[in-house]
């Protein structure tokens, strides 16, 4: 199955919501004040956010106002407008000399560890060497879970004694990855609620300690957001941005949710670009974020 086909199946619930809604609104109707308002409500209910929904319908109105339109035409136009909105909000790969250190953080259960497993596979596919660091030191099960992903990807996992300081494990891992000329170091962290100050400070400390070895590291800090949480993703992003320099977002669990529109709202509403999306629990279920492909699939084209 091609990756687009796979993405299409995964976004099925979200795209069905939007395309069925568009069909109901625009059967033999004009694009006028009434239908535009209904469309705006549909986009908000599909988690695109009020601001983005208004932006989209205003763009649409510029082109097609008071004309009879088919649902297909509307969906095509929606896809174009959405792609234009998200295009500048895509994270480009930054090449670094030496080891690229990637810190992965987020709220409990958002999919951090799984995303690290998928990222390792993605980078290995590009011929890069990968190492992992288990900085979720609170639970033995967390280290074991990451070990499974390390084994699957045939890469080394750096860990510390039980309950050790996560920052010290990160330090050790960055040192080792640099010494061994590893291309990519993926650092897993414990899940933390974004409103728990002490846990957010612990994350800041991990970032600070890594900088003692390489002032430019972490070269990327990805925030993992669970699409099924919908609008709460915005609050999570704002809190994590205060603790560390978040450079990119990975949105997981887009399969099986009708809330994929939240990706558009996240892209538009914050200064942090989106790096990748998770569409399943398997090692291959990560996709680089691409504007046109995502927009088309979101509206069911
Ligand atoms: N359907 C689906 N499930 C996912 C995806 N990503 C992660 N999961 C599942 O979500 C659950 C939590 O994933 P983890 O990777 O353990 O999440 P975590 O953020 O590391 O969790 P904590 O370390 O406990 O905070 C697991 O059952 C994963 O298989 C995805 O893109 N789609
Ligand atoms: Mg985890």
């Amino acid at each position: 199955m091609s990756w687009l086909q796979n993405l299409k199946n995964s976004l099925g619930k979200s795209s069905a919501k939007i395309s069925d809604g568009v069909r109901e609104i625009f059967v033999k109707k004009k694009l006028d004040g009434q239908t535009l308002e209904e469309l705006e409500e549909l986009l908000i209910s599909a988690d695109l956010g009020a601001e983005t929904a208004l932006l989209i319908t205003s763009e649409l109105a510029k082109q097609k106002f008071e004309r009879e339109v088919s649902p297909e035409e509307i969906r095509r136009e929606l896809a174009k407008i959405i792609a234009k909105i998200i295009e500048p909000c895509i994270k480009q790969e930054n090449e670094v000399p030496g080891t690229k250190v990637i810190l992965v953080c987020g709220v409990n259960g958002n999919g951090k560890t799984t995303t690290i497993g998928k990222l390792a596979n993605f980078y290995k596919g590009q011929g890069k060497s990968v190492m992992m660091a288990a900085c979720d030191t609170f639970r033995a099960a967390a280290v074991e879970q990451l070990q499974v992903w390390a084994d699957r990807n045939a890469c080394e996992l750096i860990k510390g004694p039980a309950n050790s300081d996560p920052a010290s494990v990160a330090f050790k891992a960055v040192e080792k990855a640099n010494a061994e000329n590893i291309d990519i170091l993926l650092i897993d962290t414990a899940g933390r609620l974004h409103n728990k100050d002490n846990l957010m400070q612990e994350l800041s400390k991990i970032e600070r300690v890594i900088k003692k070895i390489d002032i430019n590291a972490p070269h990327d800090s990805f925030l993992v957001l669970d699409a099924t949480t919908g609008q709460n993703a915005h609050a999570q992003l704002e809190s994590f941005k205060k603790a560390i320099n978040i450079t990119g977002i990975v949105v997981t669990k887009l399969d099986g949710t009708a809330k994929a529109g939240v990706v558009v709202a996240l892209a538009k509403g914050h200064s942090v670009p989106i790096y990748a999306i998770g569409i399943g629990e398997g090692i291959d279920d990560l996709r680089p974020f691409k504007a046109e492909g995502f927009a088309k699939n979101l509206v069911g084209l």
Side-chain angles (χ1 to χ4, degrees):
M1 204 187 292
S2 75
W3 85 255
L4 258 179
Q5 185 62 39
N6 203 328
L7 181 65
K8 190 173 182 174
N9 294 344
S10 301
L11 294 185
K13 275 200 185 155
S14 297
S15 64
K17 178 163 190 167
I18 294 177
S19 55
D20 293 351
V22 167
R23 197 172 310 121
E24 273 170 36
I25 298 172
F26 288 102
V27 170
K28 295 199 193 101
K29 285 218 191 106
K30 282 199 297 195
L31 186 73
D32 55 17
Q34 170 74 29
T35 49
L36 266 179
E37 203 167 295
E38 286 175 34
L39 181 62
E40 194 181 326
E41 273 165 32
L42 172 70
L43 295 175
I44 292 171
S45 78
D47 276 280
L48 281 92
E51 203 185 314
T52 322
L54 181 62
L55 179 71
I56 292 170
T57 49
S58 318
E59 274 301 310
L60 194 62
K62 277 188 206 161
Q63 304 158 26
K64 308 270 174 193
F65 206 60
E66 293 297 345
R67 274 185 40 202
E68 205 162 287
V69 283
S70 70
E72 280 64 36
E73 205 179 340
I74 292 289
R75 282 196 294 151
R76 271 200 305 277
E77 289 305 322
L78 281 179
K80 274 192 219 158
I81 296 168
I82 291 171
K84 219 163 86 188
I85 291 174
I86 54 188
E87 185 69 57
C89 313
I90 291 177
K91 168 139 181 65
Q92 306 299 331
E93 202 72 63
N94 48 334
E95 295 301 327
V96 303
T99 301
K100 183 194 244 184
V101 179
I102 302 176
L103 184 63
V104 178
C105 64
V107 163
N108 312 61
N110 276 3
K112 295 174 290 299
T113 306
T114 308
T115 296
I116 286 186
K118 297 176 191 172
L119 283 171
N121 176 63
F122 173 71
Y123 293 125
K124 284 213 124 186
Q126 298 174 348
K128 294 184 171 141
S129 55
V130 177
M131 188 183 268
M132 295 180 186
C135 293
D136 182 351
T137 56
F138 295 121
R139 300 175 298 127
V143 182
E144 283 160 25
Q145 186 194 355
L146 191 61
Q147 183 71 62
V148 171
W149 282 110
D151 293 345
R152 261 179 217 161
N153 283 291
C155 63
E156 191 181 353
L157 175 68
I158 307 303
K159 46 197 168 186
N163 293 313
S164 52
D165 180 2
S168 74
V169 179
F171 186 89
K172 191 170 85 174
V174 175
E175 245 181 1
K176 193 158 197 276
N178 274 301
E180 294 181 13
N181 289 319
I182 296 290
D183 296 319
I184 306 277
L185 172 65
L186 296 165
I187 301 179
D188 192 20
T189 60
R192 65 198 74 232
L193 281 174
H194 55 295
N195 51 13
K196 289 267 186 280
D197 264 356
N198 55 330
L199 295 179
M200 296 309 278
Q201 278 164 24
E202 182 198 81
L203 189 62
S204 311
K205 183 181 171 190
I206 296 176
E207 186 190 51
R208 253 190 342 266
V209 165
I210 291 172
K211 286 197 182 303
K212 287 187 183 166
I213 300 175
D214 180 352
I215 189 70
N216 295 317
H219 304 89
D220 271 317
S221 292
F222 293 151
L223 177 65
V224 176
L225 294 170
D226 176 341
T228 61
T229 59
Q231 296 306 308
N232 191 253
H234 297 286
Q236 293 177 23
L237 175 54
E238 285 310 311
S239 299
F240 277 87
K241 268 168 73 179
K242 285 187 192 130
I244 62 168
N245 178 31
I246 301 291
T247 63
I249 298 168
V250 178
V251 185
T252 61
K253 309 187 194 179
L254 282 168
D255 50 311
T257 174
K259 296 175 181 294
V262 75
V263 177
V264 183
L266 281 166
K268 180 73 186 71
H270 304 267
S271 51
V272 182
I274 298 184
Y275 180 64
I277 53 177
I279 54 167
E281 301 182 270
I283 198 164
D284 284 322
D285 292 332
L286 186 83
R287 298 286 175 273
F289 189 51
K290 289 183 185 159
E292 200 190 325
F294 184 84
K296 278 187 172 167
N297 280 292
L298 183 64
V299 301
L301 285 180

